[in-house]
Amino acid sequence: MMACCMLAALYAQAQTRNFDVAAGDLKTALDTFIAQSQAQLLYKVDDVKGLSTKGAKGAATPEEALARLLEGTKLKIRRDADGAMVIYVAPPDALKSERTDQPPANLSSVVVTASRRHEPAREVPMQVSARSGEALERAGAKSLTDYIADEPGVNLSSYGGTRGGLSMRGVTTGNQQTVATVGVYVDDVPVGSSSATAGGSTTALDMGLLDLHHIEILRGPQGTLYGAGAMGGLLKYVTTEPDTGEFSGKVTLGTSSVRGGGNNATVSAVLNVPLKQDVAGLRVAAFQDQVAGYYKAVGAAAGDAINAGDTKGLRLSLLVTPTSKLSVRLSATTQNLQRDGHGMVDMDLGTGQPIEGDLSRRRTVADPVSNRLTLYGLDLEYDLGWARLNSITSSQEVKDHSVIDASPVYVPLLNANGLPAVSTWADDSFKQDRISQEFRLTSRASNQLEWLAGAFFSRERGAHEQTVDAGFGGALSGANLLTGSVPSTYLEQALYGDLTWHATRLLSLTAGARVARNSQTVSQSASGLLLGQPSVLGGSSEDSSTTYLATAQYALAPTSNVYFRAASGYRPGGPNGVPLSTGLSPVPPSFQSDSLWSYELGYKADLLDKTLSLQAALFDIEWSNLQQVVVIGGFGSIVNAGDARVRGSELALNWSPLPALRLSAAATTLDARLRSDAPGLAASGTRLPNSARFSGSLGASYNFNVAAHPSYLGVTVRHVGERDAGYPGSAMLPSFKMPAYSSLDLQAGIELGRFSLAAYVRNLTDQRGLLSATHLTGNLEQVTVTQPRSVGVSLSTSF
């Protein structure tokens, strides 16, 4: 027989209290909550038996604190006739109705893991935003370019295929970047490379909507908790955990049409299987996205829709909770992306106009691209009572292959030397193998002291292979111009931690640090017509770096606070390849780490009876000892030279003036400048590449019923200011202006029982916004542009 527990006490709905309810067994936590809140609470003991909670701390009303305790469970809260709070298990249909009838939650109610703890976004002393997987689906987002489109100050420099580099807050040196300045994680697993050798900064993970719960974007240095490369910010893909209590699933079919291209098709499925009630669950997700393509090519390898292809993905996630204190989550993800060719436009450096026509470039050879990711993760979590212990083990393998049409660079050179070449192409591939291990202890919630401590180890092995070949007309056969192989290793060890002191009920202070040490080796063998004699290059390096974090947060009111954040970040140094035979070279044998300090003053609040959530920040970033790619004595190398400063502001708000209406706005201003020059760059005092002075977005969504069926309409407008892909006055990386542009998106949908029908239009006005540009040679720039107007529809069914 179910026992019903009723604890009598008056509940003051508007009264805010300071809660300190520890993570662990939910029944124990509810008893603590009742004692601290003096609230009247009704629940069935069997409903909470065996469940755990992340706890609740800080200032909140009793209802808010109780909602935090129940996060991640199937339990809901309602009021009975006497005003008491009642915990109950909602049936599946009620849960589905709740998701579709209610407007999206305000940002402050979104729980994020930015500080390696589960916390409401408003309580994290940094600028952090989150976009749900459902919202991305509604908008027709399918790639990383789409995911960040509404995030001002966040940019992706694409190379027209599978490679691209992320930047935030203007912390970038353009497309000739060495190591990434933005970290990328899948849950608690780091992905990509911390080395400049095997892909360097071009390996930002472009993950499909493979059972994503939401995406978190953390602005500013994250080096203390997330390590090397996260000096500009962090992007985290957060996947959906298996449900050990309910069998469920979802299937989605979609199609879309791009102006000037063909029809795209998408199919995805998610299945959740409880293996043992409240103990073990398995979640399987799969998708395939067929892309028709819309770029065109003229010349010897002419064609339409040259960037057609598909992306396939599969993810398995197993959750086992044998006791209330122990949970084990094992995940395996694989994704394979293929395109028939690079999606770029040939543009004139001087005029900024297309050379071969709209969405077209000249191509002498076919240039397919592919990228395959395999990622395994094992997260063990144990509640020690006084702290939570996490062990996170991961294994990553990336295989990337591109054929690059190199004719504009090499054909004129060969012809000038009496070789009648008609085409040249590079077969370029790299492989990354990475394993990492992290141990982390997180203290229980406290209204006095909280702490976190961890150790991290990572080993990367890279292999970069390239051949450059030439084709000749007439009776001449082809020739190998260059064959190169660059194996490398990267080892990193780090210790980190932070301590938070709740000095008073209103003031919290945090200090943190991370000490990291890495060692690297690189070797390079090359031969071919361009070199004459075969060469062997190599080198090794060791590097140590310490990053720091200090924050002060003050509660102005129960729902608003101000904070100051000082944080540092770094990118590892590494070896340059130098001739091993003599040891003599104009190239320095290694380059050092570069680093920055960021100073940020911010404000976060829930206003107007929590219908308006607001984030605002001013920041100043001092970047020193920049890593720059230069040419010395005919060798491409990396040196440390130049300093930069970025000053800016950010604003984000969500407002629900009516229960069914939600308005959103976000804006970023940047003044990012190079303060001193690197050898051969000739760009001192100029703006850093790809940094718009102003970018912003506006959105509105409205929920309503059509014949008793929940429906919605949405509109989004975004604007990106003028940017420069290079440096004015620089011969090495010449200036190429990318004009400001705006775009307009629409969304609509309706719920029909267990079916959901969604429609969207992206880039309604068919703007040709320039996203990124790569200087090739002479007056030739190869540019990626916004996708032409696309119209799509999808049908989903849940069970």
Side-chain angles (χ1 to χ4, degrees):
M1 177 181 296
M2 294 184 178
C4 181
C5 177
M6 179 175 183
L7 297 156
L10 293 177
Y11 172 71
Q13 181 175 353
Q15 185 178 5
T16 298
R17 298 174 181 269
N18 195 38
F19 286 92
D20 178 19
V21 183
D25 178 68
L26 180 57
K27 173 66 168 63
T28 302
L30 291 176
D31 292 342
T32 304
F33 163 79
I34 292 168
Q36 294 182 6
S37 66
Q38 297 298 303
Q40 185 175 352
L41 181 65
L42 297 169
Y43 65 90
K44 294 179 179 178
V45 173
D46 284 355
D47 285 347
V48 303
K49 184 178 180 180
L51 299 183
S52 60
T53 177
K54 299 294 184 180
K57 66 181 183 66
T61 65
E63 195 162 41
E64 291 171 335
L66 182 58
R68 294 179 196 175
L69 294 177
L70 301 183
E71 283 170 359
T73 72
K74 294 285 188 302
L75 302 174
K76 299 296 174 183
I77 308 168
R78 63 176 174 83
R79 295 277 183 177
D80 69 3
D82 297 325
M85 290 187 291
V86 180
I87 296 176
Y88 70 101
V89 180
D93 288 344
L95 292 173
K96 185 174 189 298
S97 175
E98 178 182 292
R99 289 194 299 268
T100 56
D101 289 347
Q102 300 299 319
N106 287 335
L107 177 65
S108 60
S109 67
V110 176
V111 176
V112 296
T113 58
S115 57
R116 294 297 181 93
R117 298 177 176 90
H118 290 78
E119 298 176 295
R122 187 177 57 78
E123 296 182 7
V124 181
M126 73 174 80
Q127 296 297 293
V128 55
S129 57
R131 295 205 69 194
S132 70
E134 181 181 2
L136 294 171
E137 280 190 63
R138 285 183 172 189
K142 298 179 181 179
S143 67
L144 183 54
T145 300
D146 300 331
Y147 303 160
I148 65 173
D150 296 339
E151 298 292 338
V154 183
N155 300 293
L156 178 68
S157 296
S158 171
Y159 299 88
T162 60
R163 303 175 187 176
L166 276 169
S167 65
M168 294 184 191
R169 288 187 170 177
V171 181
T172 175
T173 54
N175 283 12
Q176 290 190 3
Q177 192 128 284
T178 56
V179 182
T181 62
V182 173
V184 179
Y185 270 62
V186 177
D187 296 320
D188 269 347
V189 174
V191 293
S193 174
S194 299
S195 166
T197 306
S201 65
T202 67
T203 58
L205 174 61
D206 190 351
M207 188 171 175
L209 284 175
L210 193 56
D211 203 20
L212 288 182
H213 184 271
H214 67 275
I215 294 175
E216 294 178 18
I217 295 176
L218 286 57
R219 290 170 166 82
Q222 308 297 324
T224 304
L225 293 182
Y226 293 98
M231 61 194 305
L234 185 102
L235 182 143
K236 179 182 285 191
Y237 297 98
V238 181
T239 62
T240 305
E241 283 194 359
D243 185 341
T244 61
E246 180 184 22
F247 179 85
S248 62
K250 181 179 179 180
V251 177
T252 300
L253 302 175
T255 183
S256 62
S257 177
V258 180
R259 184 182 181 191
N263 293 322
N264 308 315
T266 303
V267 57
S268 65
V270 178
L271 184 66
N272 187 91
V273 182
L275 303 179
K276 185 176 181 181
Q277 184 75 20
D278 298 327
V279 174
L282 175 67
R283 197 169 180 92
V284 182
F287 83 100
Q288 179 175 11
D289 182 29
Q290 292 182 325
V291 179
Y294 48 88
Y295 285 96
K296 300 180 286 292
V298 300
D304 293 328
I306 61 172
N307 62 319
D310 66 10
T311 305
K312 300 175 183 177
L314 175 67
R315 179 175 174 84
L316 303 176
S317 183
L318 174 67
L319 177 64
V320 181
T321 55
T323 72
S324 61
K325 294 182 177 295
L326 175 65
S327 68
V328 181
R329 187 180 182 189
L330 176 65
S331 62
T333 304
T334 180
Q335 178 174 283
N336 189 23
L337 187 153
Q338 294 180 315
R339 297 292 184 267
D340 294 339
H342 290 76
M344 296 182 291
V345 179
D346 285 348
M347 288 194 172
D348 185 88
L349 177 65
T351 66
Q353 297 299 312
I355 298 173
E356 307 295 347
D358 185 34
L359 298 173
S360 297
R361 64 183 175 93
R362 183 164 295 276
R363 191 174 70 164
T364 61
V365 296
D367 53 356
V369 297
S370 65
N371 180 281
R372 184 178 182 87
L373 165 75
T374 304
L375 183 65
Y376 299 99
L378 174 63
D379 187 345
L380 304 177
E381 180 173 304
Y382 188 77
D383 184 0
L384 299 170
W386 53 275
R388 185 178 74 250
L389 172 65
N390 285 88
S391 170
I392 302 139
T393 309
S394 70
S395 172
Q396 166 195 295
E397 181 183 74
V398 176
K399 295 181 179 179
D400 190 279
H401 175 254
S402 293
V403 176
I404 302 168
D405 185 359
S407 300
V409 176
Y410 291 110
V411 167
L413 175 65
L414 295 173
N415 291 344
N417 286 275
L419 298 174
V422 295
S423 64
T424 59
W425 61 94
D427 191 288
D428 187 87
S429 65
F430 67 78
K431 180 180 178 181
Q432 298 173 353
D433 287 302
R434 175 175 182 170
I435 60 171
S436 66
Q437 174 64 53
E438 182 173 4
F439 295 102
R440 186 171 67 246
L441 274 172
T442 307
S443 70
R444 59 174 293 180
S446 170
N447 58 7
Q448 292 183 334
L449 290 177
E450 295 177 324
W451 53 266
L452 180 150
F456 177 80
F457 168 81
S458 178
R459 187 218 68 196
E460 299 179 26
R461 291 177 179 171
H464 192 177
E465 311 285 339
Q466 187 179 84
T467 62
V468 181
D469 296 297
F472 299 93
L476 295 177
S477 60
N480 175 250
L481 303 180
L482 177 70
T483 296
S485 176
V486 186
S488 62
T489 63
Y490 174 92
L491 298 175
E492 179 182 345
Q493 301 172 357
L495 296 174
Y496 67 90
D498 65 37
L499 176 67
T500 298
W501 175 38
H502 300 286
T504 70
R505 188 174 59 86
L506 303 177
L507 176 64
S508 297
L509 304 173
T510 298
R514 185 186 188 102
V515 179
R517 181 178 180 84
N518 73 76
S519 60
Q520 301 183 56
T521 63
V522 61
S523 61
Q524 176 178 313
S525 59
S527 61
L529 183 63
L530 290 179
L531 290 178
Q533 296 295 323
S535 68
V536 179
L537 310 177
S540 61
S541 70
E542 292 187 353
D543 192 18
S544 298
S545 297
T546 304
T547 53
Y548 301 95
L549 169 70
T551 67
Q553 183 170 251
Y554 186 81
L556 300 173
T559 59
S560 67
N561 56 66
V562 293
Y563 69 87
F564 175 76
R565 183 176 192 265
S568 64
Y570 80 103
R571 292 187 295 178
N576 280 313
V578 297
L580 294 178
S581 57
T582 65
L584 299 176
S585 170
V587 177
S590 63
F591 58 96
Q592 303 304 310
S593 61
D594 60 355
S595 61
L596 58 74
W597 271 97
S598 173
Y599 308 95
E600 178 178 332
L601 180 64
Y603 171 71
K604 292 186 175 184
D606 291 334
L607 307 172
L608 304 179
D609 196 23
K610 295 190 177 182
T611 62
L612 172 66
S613 64
L614 173 67
Q615 289 193 104
L618 300 172
F619 57 87
D620 184 348
I621 298 173
E622 305 291 335
W623 189 4
S624 60
N625 216 26
L626 271 69
Q627 296 175 4
Q628 303 274 8
V629 178
V630 298
V631 177
I632 301 176
F635 291 90
S637 62
I638 302 173
V639 300
N640 293 95
D643 300 301
R645 184 178 192 181
V646 183
R647 290 180 289 186
S649 63
E650 292 168 337
L651 175 68
L653 62 87
N654 291 285
W655 183 33
S656 295
L658 301 172
L661 176 64
R662 177 175 177 176
L663 307 175
S664 62
T668 295
T669 65
L670 290 174
D671 182 15
R673 292 187 177 276
L674 190 67
R675 303 178 71 178
S676 57
D677 190 21
L681 200 59
S684 179
T686 63
R687 287 167 56 189
L688 291 175
N690 302 331
S691 58
R693 292 184 184 276
F694 175 82
S695 55
S697 64
L698 294 171
S701 62
Y702 184 70
N703 293 268
F704 56 97
N705 287 328
V706 175
H709 295 292
S711 306
Y712 67 88
L713 286 173
V715 59
T716 303
V717 180
R718 64 180 65 91
H719 175 82
V720 179
E722 181 188 81
R723 293 135 294 136
D724 198 321
Y727 296 98
S730 174
M732 180 179 172
L733 195 60
S735 170
F736 179 76
K737 298 292 186 182
M738 296 185 291
Y741 70 92
S742 300
S743 61
L744 175 66
D745 296 347
L746 303 176
Q747 307 96 36
I750 187 171
E751 300 289 335
L752 302 169
R754 292 191 176 273
F755 291 91
S756 302
L757 183 65
Y760 60 87
V761 181
R762 296 186 67 86
N763 194 7
L764 177 66
T765 56
D766 200 31
Q767 297 294 302
R768 293 292 183 272
L770 308 190
L771 299 177
S772 62
T774 302
H775 181 67
L776 206 59
T777 183
N779 284 330
L780 179 59
E781 292 278 333
Q782 292 194 323
V783 183
T784 59
V785 303
T786 53
Q787 181 173 291
R789 180 172 58 243
S790 58
V791 180
V793 63
S794 65
L795 179 65
S796 301
T797 180
S798 300
F799 53 89

